[in-house]
Amino acid sequence: MEGLLAEDAEASKDEVVPTFTGEHLRICPQDYTCCASRTEEQLSQRSGADLRALVAEAAAFLLSTLSSRQHRFQDFFRELLAGAERSLQNMFTRSYGHLYAQHARLFQGLFVELRRHLQGAQPGLDEALGDFWARLLERMVPLLNPQYSFPAGYLECVGRQADGLRAFGDSPRQLRMQVTRAFIAARALVQGLATGREVVAQAVQLSPTRECRRAHMRLSYCPLCRGTPTLKPCSGFCLNVMKGCLASTTEMDPEWERYLDAMTQLAERLGGPFNFELAADSIGVKISEGIMYLQEHGVQTSAKVFQSCGSPRPTPARSRRAPREETKRRFRTYSPEEKPTTAAGTNLDRLISDVKEKLRLMRRFWVMLPHTLCSDEKVAADVTNEDLCWNGQARGRYLPDVTGDGLVNQINNPEVEVDISQPDLPTRQHLLALRSATSHLVGACNGQDVDFQDADEDGGSGSGAGYHEDRPAPGAGRGVVGGVSSGSHPPADTHSPHSGKGSSSSSQHSQSSGARPTPPSEDALPARAALALLCLLALLGGW
């Protein structure tokens, strides 16, 4: 800092004696000064960079928190899905041995599609699940009717009948509802955290106006030019400068609050009716239940297939494998009491509780940003030190009133000339990004798969579960209206649900936001599980 002073200005630890008059100064008071014209201009340029650095430092908590929680949830969901796949593979491998190892691609392919959808790939999850059940039916029908021969063309016809036949009972619909909504919510939460981080990262890259740079120069460096480098600006002076410089940025606050509301509500749904842990656990269970249903209704299903696709050609009867003791094992999931944590040493409840608390701390960040900056003792004097601070002209009390918060209130700002007609272009872009993200999150709260990138500014709204956030301490947060007001938007890797596939929730899952679904248990499986597993063994052995 001293390196920019005029060569004839000699600084001491606390004060510098001004050595020449300041008629040449354009920003600082034209009194005795230590700064030449070139020094004042250089300090003015540095002032803009200093303001950006202050804002970035204040936003560091937002950036680090949103980024770390994004990766933490992303890794957690991937790990849960990998655990569900290992659970299914281990059970079927124990039951069928090398037969499953030779013919496991059908099930492995399903998990590949689940992982791709979790990462945002097309097509939609509905299509992937429907394709899985169709292919499974193509393999099951020949095993239910070993007296017939089924060429490839015939089996394609069988697969096309899967939806209409309801060959696997209600299991496909239940699996689709539970898994699809949970995956939509999980993916939207991760994308929402990423979008919030991107908006913050871009918003802190300020481009201060000329008026802002001059005001911040008067605030931060003019005391230096007056020979009092340690004299801190008055709190009111600092607030007026910061409110004027950040006027457009503070306009982000309403959309930011709606974004936080939607994030909080979606996090709650992930731990309640859209529980991702239970959805991952249900994959193997629903597949087992579907196979059992087909085993028990094989005659009726075969008759419907023959009616739709024609009578197959007879073939010599096939021999069936003798049952082995291990085929009588039921597909089993962990109970909540014994369910292990992931390798990351956490579980969904802890992650949700943590992110909700962090989101609460982020409330009112933008509108409170000027106050946050001016409360820093490195930036401004304490409010109790009103008579011994820099008031813009000299040491003394700052007399002008402090303007209100927000863009409109800056019309009478005594320190910064502000265009109050509308936020600047970058801020408007940030608002659109937040509105788009909020619409995506609201859609996910309602089980709708929408995408951040294909946003419709006039998108529909959704009230969600009517979640009410606990209020933070005064000055740290603002009241939140119950429910979520959506902004706008549809999704980038969105795939609308097929009209013919079940659209209502499984009866096992409450639609209320506070109800947590009961995890599936062994007792929920039909008593004839052994027959279904035996059927699957024969199925795999026949291919």
Side-chain angles (χ1 to χ4, degrees):
M1 185 178 296
E2 285 75 14
L4 295 176
L5 293 175
E7 294 180 359
D8 57 348
E10 180 177 343
S12 67
K13 181 177 180 181
D14 297 319
E15 290 193 0
V16 176
V17 178
T19 58
F20 47 87
T21 58
E23 292 87 351
H24 58 284
L25 298 180
R26 298 184 177 183
I27 301 176
C28 294
Q30 293 182 339
D31 206 331
Y32 279 94
T33 182
C34 305
C35 295
S37 297
R38 176 174 171 272
T39 304
E40 184 185 46
E41 178 61 26
Q42 289 176 325
L43 289 174
S44 177
Q45 294 298 326
R46 176 181 291 187
S47 178
D50 288 348
L51 178 59
R52 286 192 294 270
L54 288 173
V55 173
E57 182 180 359
F61 166 74
L62 273 64
L63 288 171
S64 62
T65 300
L66 292 170
S67 179
S68 63
R69 270 54 184 185
Q70 173 202 349
H71 294 298
R72 190 174 298 178
F73 272 102
Q74 194 171 45
D75 293 343
F76 180 78
F77 293 141
R78 289 173 179 171
E79 191 171 350
L80 280 182
L81 189 56
E85 183 175 16
R86 286 193 301 270
S87 178
L88 185 147
Q89 289 176 342
N90 291 340
M91 181 60 193
F92 287 175
T93 298
R94 288 196 301 268
S95 299
Y96 313 126
H98 72 282
L99 291 177
Y100 175 75
Q102 292 174 352
H103 305 283
R105 289 186 179 181
L106 175 61
F107 303 95
Q108 293 171 351
L110 173 61
F111 282 95
V112 168
E113 291 300 320
L114 292 174
R115 283 190 291 272
R116 292 180 67 249
H117 184 78
L118 192 60
Q119 296 168 1
Q122 296 257 25
L125 191 53
D126 276 358
E127 184 173 336
L129 290 171
D131 183 64
F132 167 77
W133 290 109
R135 291 176 60 197
L136 183 58
L137 182 61
E138 292 175 13
R139 297 193 177 195
M140 290 293 293
V141 167
L143 300 172
L144 293 172
N145 302 274
Q147 69 275 28
Y148 295 110
S149 175
F150 297 91
Y154 193 98
L155 293 178
E156 290 179 2
C157 175
V158 172
R160 290 194 295 269
Q161 310 303 315
D163 283 347
L165 290 176
R166 290 181 55 83
F168 298 99
D170 203 36
S171 293
R173 187 190 68 84
Q174 291 180 355
L175 180 64
R176 184 187 71 83
M177 292 302 299
Q178 186 166 2
V179 169
T180 299
R181 295 185 306 177
F183 273 63
I184 289 173
R187 188 174 68 176
L189 184 73
V190 171
Q191 290 179 337
L193 290 168
T195 298
R197 175 184 54 78
E198 292 169 2
V199 168
V200 173
Q202 294 171 9
V204 299
Q205 299 298 318
L206 300 176
S207 297
T209 64
R210 179 175 179 272
E211 292 76 12
C212 172
R213 289 197 305 271
R214 291 172 63 89
H216 196 261
M217 167 68 184
R218 293 195 303 273
L219 178 79
S220 57
Y221 285 127
C222 284
L224 174 64
C225 291
R226 287 285 290 129
T228 56
T230 60
L231 187 61
K232 296 179 181 178
C234 299
S235 177
F237 182 27
C238 177
L239 284 173
N240 276 338
V241 171
M242 294 301 181
K243 288 185 177 186
C245 287
L246 302 174
S248 288
T249 304
T250 58
E251 291 299 289
M252 291 171 54
D253 197 68
E255 282 298 338
W256 179 253
E257 292 294 302
R258 285 188 279 270
Y259 160 78
L260 295 178
D261 287 343
M263 286 290 298
T264 301
Q265 185 176 351
L266 184 59
E268 286 215 328
R269 292 224 163 189
L270 263 174
F274 297 172
N275 190 285
F276 193 89
E277 286 180 319
L278 299 184
D281 284 344
S282 73
I283 297 172
V285 174
K286 294 304 177 186
I287 291 174
S288 296
E289 291 178 351
I291 293 172
M292 286 185 241
Y293 183 93
L294 180 59
Q295 170 76 14
E296 296 171 357
H297 300 81
V299 174
Q300 300 94 314
T301 300
S302 297
K304 293 178 181 179
V305 168
F306 298 162
Q307 183 178 5
S308 299
C309 299
S311 300
R313 293 180 300 173
T315 189
R318 303 179 186 177
S319 61
R320 295 180 179 268
R321 294 180 180 269
R324 296 183 297 172
E325 183 64 26
E326 56 264 33
T327 64
K328 298 179 182 179
R329 297 176 182 174
R330 294 180 179 179
F331 193 90
R332 177 177 178 274
T333 59
Y334 289 105
S335 65
E337 294 76 19
E338 65 178 341
K339 186 172 181 62
T341 58
T342 63
T346 188
N347 58 37
L348 186 58
D349 290 337
R350 285 198 288 268
L351 284 176
I352 290 175
S353 177
D354 169 75
V355 78
K356 284 171 55 182
E357 173 61 18
K358 295 302 187 294
L359 293 173
R360 185 185 69 82
L361 296 175
M362 296 177 186
R363 292 190 175 279
R364 300 202 71 200
F365 172 81
W366 300 107
V367 74
M368 294 299 297
L369 184 55
H371 301 269
T372 301
L373 297 178
C374 293
S375 65
D376 188 340
E377 62 179 8
K378 299 190 299 293
V379 177
D382 189 85
V383 291
T384 60
N385 193 13
E386 295 182 354
D387 295 321
L388 299 175
C389 55
W390 172 254
N391 62 16
Q393 297 294 326
R395 187 195 307 268
R397 181 182 293 269
Y398 182 73
L399 298 179
D401 293 332
V402 176
T403 62
D405 297 324
L407 182 62
V408 174
N409 287 320
Q410 305 314 308
I411 187 172
N412 295 318
N413 192 307
E415 305 299 339
V416 187
E417 183 179 346
V418 180
D419 179 5
I420 67 168
S421 60
Q422 58 184 355
D424 57 24
L425 179 58
T427 299
R428 280 183 283 170
Q429 292 173 339
H430 305 330
L431 291 172
L432 288 175
L434 286 173
R435 192 171 300 135
S436 175
T438 300
S439 182
H440 182 133
L441 295 165
V442 170
C445 284
N446 296 326
Q448 300 167 357
D449 191 6
V450 291
D451 183 83
F452 284 82
Q453 295 161 351
D454 295 335
D456 177 7
E457 285 190 32
D458 299 322
S461 63
S463 60
Y467 171 74
H468 295 265
E469 173 71 57
D470 293 335
R471 296 281 69 73
R478 178 180 60 172
V480 179
V481 179
V484 178
S485 172
S486 74
S488 48
H489 128 338
D493 13 311
T494 177
H495 221 43
S496 59
H498 298 309
S499 59
K501 299 181 182 179
S503 59
S504 62
S505 169
S506 168
S507 61
Q508 295 177 350
H509 302 280
S510 170
Q511 290 294 335
S512 64
S513 64
R516 184 182 182 110
T518 303
S521 65
E522 285 187 274
D523 296 335
L525 297 177
R528 299 171 71 179
L531 289 176
L533 295 175
L534 177 59
C535 177
L536 183 59
L537 171 63
L539 179 159
L540 295 173
W543 281 71

